[in-house]
Amino acid sequence: MEWSQEIFFIAFLIAAAAIHEVHGYAVVTGTVFCDQCKDGQISLFDYPLYGIKVGMACPGSDGQFTMWREETTNWLGNYAMNFEGTPDLSGCYSQVSGNAQGSSRCGAAAGPAMHPRLMFRMFDMEMYTVDPLLSQPAQPMPFCSRSTSPVVAPAPPVRLLPPVPRLPPLPPLPQLPPMPPVPYFEASACPYQKWMMPEYKCYWKVVSPDTKVAIIFGLIAGRRYGSDMTLWEGMNGRGDPYRTLLREGTTALLNSYSSIQFPYHPLGVIQHMNWALMGSTRQVLHTALSFLRANSGSTAGTGTATCRFTPCK
């Protein structure tokens, strides 16, 4: 079982324990990625999409839809659909059905539909997962490489034309606006103090300081820290093991989005946070210390990584 499926498995078990009196319950989970190169597969340049609508349809024996459900992806590109009873969903299919935000440049076309796969069945409850769905822009991004070169037919002979009078020079093009920061291909790790400085606020790209902790880290974190605490408030935590865990966990999540060589993947940060919150105080301190070492640039076997922030313009 892959790590992305493990976290869904843990979340499902927690939900199952909370609703043990309900009989017959099915959950379908999955993730939507932006296929920037329009190559039909997840590559280094692709990222999870927020605010994308995903529809799941289940055709009957007569070809008519017997069930239809639509959900919207969260900040991490994940979606979850709940069904009462224990229906057989193996014949259904999921596909990107729209853009709830209406402004995504990666919502021009939807990738192929995917069938849900039954992961396990327990206590009259079922969990299905769907392979990653793709949403594509109108055209591939300029940085995408061409896998094959087009075959060019030989040009027919051209009759020479008389010279054309030289045109006056065109006026200079206006200066383009500065590009926002992009994820580093080199290792970079910044402590929480750097992330809280005003001159580096432009590096909050995937999540904003006002995003709720419960939305990013899930129900377990919401139960511990409350539903109103923001990521910015969590960055000010100190003196308490659980507040220290939230501060370093939030910093690790931001670093994982800023550098592809950061030791933790974004979903890995969330997974370790939830494991720590479900464990003892000692496990909370151990996880917070691990995040702190990664945020300070210490990586096992590879020395140290520096913070590569430059002041925002």
Side-chain angles (χ1 to χ4, degrees):
M1 183 180 297
E2 298 180 358
W3 56 267
S4 60
Q5 297 171 347
E6 291 177 2
I7 189 171
F8 291 137
F9 179 79
I10 294 172
F12 182 80
L13 290 182
I14 297 171
I19 58 171
H20 63 277
E21 297 181 356
V22 179
H23 296 282
Y25 192 77
V27 178
V28 179
T29 60
T31 308
V32 178
F33 286 85
C34 175
D35 182 14
Q36 295 199 93
C37 294
K38 300 192 70 172
D39 55 3
Q41 59 186 0
I42 300 176
S43 62
L44 176 66
F45 301 104
D46 301 337
Y47 58 88
L49 277 178
Y50 162 69
I52 294 295
K53 291 183 178 180
V54 177
M56 192 172 83
C58 301
S61 57
D62 57 354
Q64 300 295 323
F65 290 140
T66 60
M67 190 182 308
W68 168 263
R69 188 66 54 86
E70 191 174 57
E71 293 291 344
T72 304
T73 58
N74 60 15
W75 285 98
L76 299 175
N78 301 325
Y79 63 91
M81 301 179 182
N82 302 326
F83 297 88
E84 295 183 358
T86 54
D88 182 12
L89 303 178
S90 58
C92 305
Y93 60 89
S94 298
Q95 191 174 26
V96 172
S97 58
N99 180 13
Q101 301 302 310
S103 60
S104 174
R105 62 178 178 82
C106 200
M114 296 292 179
H115 292 281
R117 295 181 289 107
L118 179 64
M119 297 301 298
F120 72 93
R121 182 181 288 112
M122 182 186 301
F123 308 128
D124 291 331
M125 298 180 186
E126 300 174 341
M127 180 177 180
Y128 290 83
T129 62
V130 180
D131 290 337
L133 299 176
L134 301 178
S135 184
Q136 299 174 332
Q139 296 294 333
M141 296 295 102
F143 50 74
C144 297
S145 61
R146 302 289 196 270
S147 58
T148 57
S149 300
V151 178
V152 180
V158 180
R159 186 177 60 182
L160 296 178
L161 298 177
V164 179
R166 187 173 182 179
L167 298 177
L170 295 175
L173 295 175
Q175 185 177 4
L176 296 176
M179 294 292 291
V182 296
Y184 295 114
F185 290 95
E186 298 182 0
S188 174
C190 301
Y192 76 94
Q193 297 94 333
K194 293 280 189 180
W195 285 100
M196 298 185 70
M197 292 182 179
E199 60 265 33
Y200 301 136
K201 198 171 183 180
C202 62
Y203 287 90
W204 290 68
K205 301 184 292 293
V206 179
V207 295
S208 68
D210 297 329
T211 304
K212 306 297 184 183
V213 170
I215 294 178
I216 296 300
F217 292 106
L219 296 176
I220 300 176
R223 191 174 303 159
R224 164 62 62 176
Y225 302 107
S227 59
D228 295 329
M229 178 174 287
T230 64
L231 295 179
W232 185 262
E233 294 170 342
M235 297 280 279
N236 289 279
R238 57 179 59 87
D240 174 80
Y242 289 92
R243 292 297 300 272
T244 302
L245 173 66
L246 178 60
R247 181 193 71 204
E248 297 301 328
T250 302
T251 306
L253 181 67
L254 295 171
N255 281 322
S256 68
Y257 281 127
S258 181
S259 173
I260 61 175
Q261 292 195 35
F262 190 70
Y264 291 93
H265 187 276
L267 290 182
V269 175
I270 297 173
Q271 185 181 36
H272 282 80
M273 275 282 296
N274 282 274
W275 281 349
L277 292 174
M278 291 188 296
S280 62
T281 305
R282 181 177 180 180
Q283 187 172 354
V284 169
L285 291 171
H286 177 76
T287 304
L289 180 60
S290 298
F291 285 152
L292 176 62
R293 288 174 177 170
N295 295 331
S296 62
S298 298
T299 55
T302 59
T304 59
T306 60
C307 181
R308 298 182 177 272
F309 281 176
T310 57
C312 306
K313 296 181 179 180

